[in-house]
């Protein structure tokens, strides 16, 4: 193991830069050469591969986004594209690749390792927190912090007018961001893809709280009723008594400086990823489980949905 490469892929997440920094710095300390692959798998196909040095990752630990950029790559999905990618890795004499991303990123890595004898290590970097094998993905807590601060601001103006806000958050088809944000902000209801949304239940719940100053409903973008705008339009038809507004937080949740916890998580996972390569533990995802580093075979690290137990039900429905 002499030369390794690192790339970021899929939706960027606050903390990805902290992970890149850890990978580069620990690899250089272990006398490895480190290459950055720019623009995700598309950059691997297009040979956008450059050496990284200690200073390449200076002053980025606190920055959102990714200095290596990301891309959704059609070329990498073809055998021809992956052949080109392999040739580029051979040309640079790269022995292994560390990929920072989500389930789509890992699917690409698994496909590649089945065709070419180049090992990969996965680092879970996505705000969705939707991966089997880790309690937290890099970026999740930062996204929840951002969402919570936005919702707190909305609560101020909603209280001024006794308004009902449907606020949509990202998460693709998993409700982790919505659930955490809803509980942290004392939302009156939380709609997630893992449970069927029932507007009659919502109506009953709101009626019981008629003396409230405002109503905040957090909606995961993957909700079965199609998101905040659709739900608000439907609810308005039968509830003219509410002054209803909607807000889609969208890509706001992808930006901003990573929280301390995400920076620390990123540093831990980045170091462990390089050490895994040195110890020849290949094709695993480096996760965190009960605050310990945990290695899971990459092919098992698929999308993982919420399990809403009684505790979560109580937190959602009994506290607001
Ligand atoms: O996977 C991260 C994520 O932010 C999802 O929550 C969201 O649905 C998706 O990426 C958006 O992708 P894009 O930035 O390509 O629109």
């Amino acid at each position: 193991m002499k030369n390794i490469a690192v790339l970021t892929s899929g939706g960027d997440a606050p903390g990805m830069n902290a992970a890149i920094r850890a990978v580069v710095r620990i690899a250089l300390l272990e006398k490895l050469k480190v290459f950055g692959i720019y623009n995700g798998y598309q950059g691997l196909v297009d040979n956008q591969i450059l050496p990284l040095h200690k200073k390449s990752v200076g002053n980025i630990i606190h920055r959102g986004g990714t200095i290596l950029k990301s891309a959704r790559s059609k070329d990498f999905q073809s055998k021809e594209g992956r052949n080109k990618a392999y040739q580029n890795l051979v040309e640079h004499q790269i022995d292994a690749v560390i990929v920072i991303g989500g389930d789509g990123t890992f699917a690409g890595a698994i496909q590649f390792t089945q065709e070419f004898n180049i090992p990969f290590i996965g680092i879970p970097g996505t705000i969705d927190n939707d991966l089997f094998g880790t309690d937290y993905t890099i970026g999740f807590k930062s996204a929840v912090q951002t969402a919570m601060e936005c919702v707190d601001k909305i609560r101020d103006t909603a209280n001024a007018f006794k308004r009902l806000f449907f606020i949509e958050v990202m998460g693709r088809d998993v409700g982790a961001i919505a659930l955490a944000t809803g509980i942290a902000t004392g939302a009156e209801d939380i709609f997630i893809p893992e449970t069927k949304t029932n507007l009659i239940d919502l109506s009953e719940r709101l009626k019981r709280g008629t003396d409230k100053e405002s109503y905040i409903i957090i909606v995961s973008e993957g909700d079965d009723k199609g998101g905040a705008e659709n739900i608000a339009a439907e609810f308005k038809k039968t509830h003219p008594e509410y002054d209803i507004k909607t807000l889609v937080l969208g890509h706001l949740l992808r930006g901003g400086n990573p929280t301390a916890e995400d920076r620390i998580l990123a540093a831990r996972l980045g170091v462990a990823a390089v050490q895994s390569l040195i110890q020849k533990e290949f094709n695993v995802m480096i996760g965190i489980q009960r605050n310990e580093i945990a290695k899971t075979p990459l092919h098992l690290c698929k999308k993982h949905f919420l399990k809403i137990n009684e505790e979560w039900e109580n937190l959602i429905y009994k506290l607001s």
Side-chain angles (χ1 to χ4, degrees):
M1 191 62 57
K2 291 194 178 63
N3 304 332
I4 67 170
V6 57
L7 66 81
T8 50
S9 170
D12 54 289
M16 277 186 167
N17 281 325
I20 295 164
R21 171 180 176 274
V23 165
V24 171
R25 297 239 161 129
I26 200 72
L28 293 173
L29 277 174
E30 297 285 352
K31 307 287 181 245
L32 302 177
K33 263 185 88 173
V34 198
F35 292 85
I37 301 170
Y38 290 78
N39 299 309
Y41 289 124
Q42 191 58 45
L44 182 53
V45 174
D46 297 342
N47 201 14
Q48 294 171 317
I49 303 174
L50 291 170
L52 295 173
H53 311 289
K54 191 171 186 315
K55 285 188 76 61
S56 313
V57 291
N59 198 26
I60 67 167
I61 191 169
H62 62 295
R63 287 172 48 202
T66 161
I67 61 166
L68 294 177
K69 310 304 177 193
S70 183
R72 312 261 180 206
S73 171
K74 282 253 175 297
D75 293 342
F76 194 74
Q77 288 168 22
S78 72
K79 187 73 170 70
E80 185 200 350
R82 291 193 296 274
N83 277 327
K84 274 183 74 181
Y86 176 68
Q87 292 311 320
N88 294 332
L89 291 171
V90 169
E91 179 194 316
H92 291 276
Q93 298 178 320
I94 289 167
D95 304 306
V97 182
I98 293 174
V99 292
I100 305 171
D103 63 313
T105 303
F106 296 167
I110 292 157
Q111 173 80 47
F112 196 83
T113 59
Q114 286 166 349
E115 296 166 345
F116 305 102
N117 184 26
I118 296 219
F120 277 57
I121 298 286
I123 294 179
T126 168
I127 63 170
D128 298 347
N129 204 34
D130 61 349
L131 281 172
F132 177 80
T134 189
D135 293 346
Y136 293 104
T137 56
I138 295 168
F140 168 67
K141 290 190 177 180
S142 299
V144 171
Q145 182 67 26
T146 299
M148 181 192 75
E149 289 167 7
C150 292
V151 174
D152 286 352
K153 288 177 169 60
I154 292 296
R155 182 69 84 172
D156 289 342
T157 176
N159 286 345
F161 282 84
K162 195 180 172 75
R163 280 175 166 163
L164 188 164
F165 269 84
F166 290 97
I167 303 178
E168 183 179 303
V169 295
M170 278 186 160
R172 209 181 285 277
D173 38 24
V174 165
I177 295 175
L179 182 62
T181 303
I183 291 166
T185 56
E188 278 63 38
D189 210 334
I190 308 169
F191 293 161
I192 55 177
E194 291 89 343
T195 56
K196 194 155 178 45
T197 296
N198 182 322
L199 295 187
I200 296 164
D201 289 351
L202 171 65
S203 181
E204 293 309 312
R205 192 170 299 115
L206 296 180
K207 278 197 195 97
R208 286 198 294 274
T210 44
D211 61 335
K212 291 183 74 88
E213 290 185 80
S214 62
Y215 308 92
I216 300 277
I217 317 298
I218 305 296
V219 181
S220 186
E221 63 177 338
D223 173 81
D224 63 294
K225 277 198 174 289
E229 307 282 358
N230 291 353
I231 293 171
E234 185 179 336
F235 199 72
K236 271 179 191 167
K237 287 179 196 146
T238 50
H239 295 78
E241 69 275 25
Y242 290 100
D243 182 354
I244 295 174
K245 300 291 179 188
T246 59
L247 182 68
V248 177
L249 295 181
H251 286 77
L252 255 179
L253 305 188
R254 288 257 288 272
N257 295 353
T259 61
E261 282 187 290
D262 266 330
R263 299 182 200 190
I264 295 163
L265 174 63
R268 293 180 70 184
L269 300 185
V271 168
V274 173
Q275 290 171 337
S276 201
L277 285 176
I278 292 169
Q279 291 150 19
K280 296 191 175 10
E281 292 174 289
F282 297 148
N283 301 329
V284 294
M285 180 192 77
I286 311 288
I288 199 85
Q289 293 178 13
R290 294 187 176 77
N291 203 26
E292 297 284 333
I293 294 288
K295 295 172 187 175
T296 308
L298 210 43
H299 70 275
L300 296 179
C301 300
K302 298 194 184 324
K303 200 170 280 281
H304 184 58
F305 297 92
L306 289 178
K307 288 186 184 42
I308 302 297
N309 58 23
E310 194 185 343
E311 183 199 2
W312 289 116
E313 292 273 348
N314 287 337
L315 287 169
I316 298 167
Y317 298 116
K318 294 200 176 144
L319 296 187
S320 66

